[in-house]
Amino acid sequence: KAFREAYFQKLFLEEFLLHAEQRMKELKITRSELAKKLGVSRSVVTKWLSYADNITMKSAANIARVLGCAVRVNLEVTDGAR
């Protein structure tokens, strides 16, 4: 059960990070520029964008804000959720 929970958490954050990186490309914002706007070091941003399990929801929301986006959560019923 713990593995399954960790799996779904990681999928959620990986999807968020994929969209964040796409938005950074659209805006032509580097990791250094994003870090400066967030008030953190470039290495922190690199860790966040490279390893989904190192980012908190608060940090994800701040990244979205800086990128001019909102975080939306969509719940979908899966076969295993009963």
Side-chain angles (χ1 to χ4, degrees):
K1 181 178 178 180
F3 173 79
R4 182 183 166 122
E5 289 175 4
Y7 172 77
F8 282 111
Q9 290 169 3
K10 188 166 179 71
L11 276 180
F12 172 78
L13 290 173
E14 284 179 351
E15 184 176 350
F16 167 80
L17 293 173
L18 175 68
H19 289 289
E21 287 184 317
Q22 289 173 344
R23 181 67 174 152
M24 287 173 64
K25 287 178 186 175
E26 291 171 6
L27 297 174
K28 298 181 178 156
I29 293 177
T30 66
R31 289 180 177 193
S32 295
E33 292 168 328
L34 181 62
K36 186 175 180 178
K37 291 179 181 201
L38 291 168
V40 300
S41 68
R42 183 186 183 281
S43 64
V44 168
V45 169
T46 297
K47 285 181 183 178
W48 286 342
L49 297 178
S50 301
Y51 308 100
D53 57 353
N54 284 339
I55 189 169
T56 64
M57 289 302 298
K58 181 178 179 181
S59 298
N62 284 334
I63 289 171
R65 178 185 49 78
V66 166
L67 296 176
C69 299
V71 176
R72 303 264 187 242
V73 178
N74 181 33
L75 300 178
E76 297 177 16
V77 177
T78 61
D79 291 335
R82 304 222 181 235

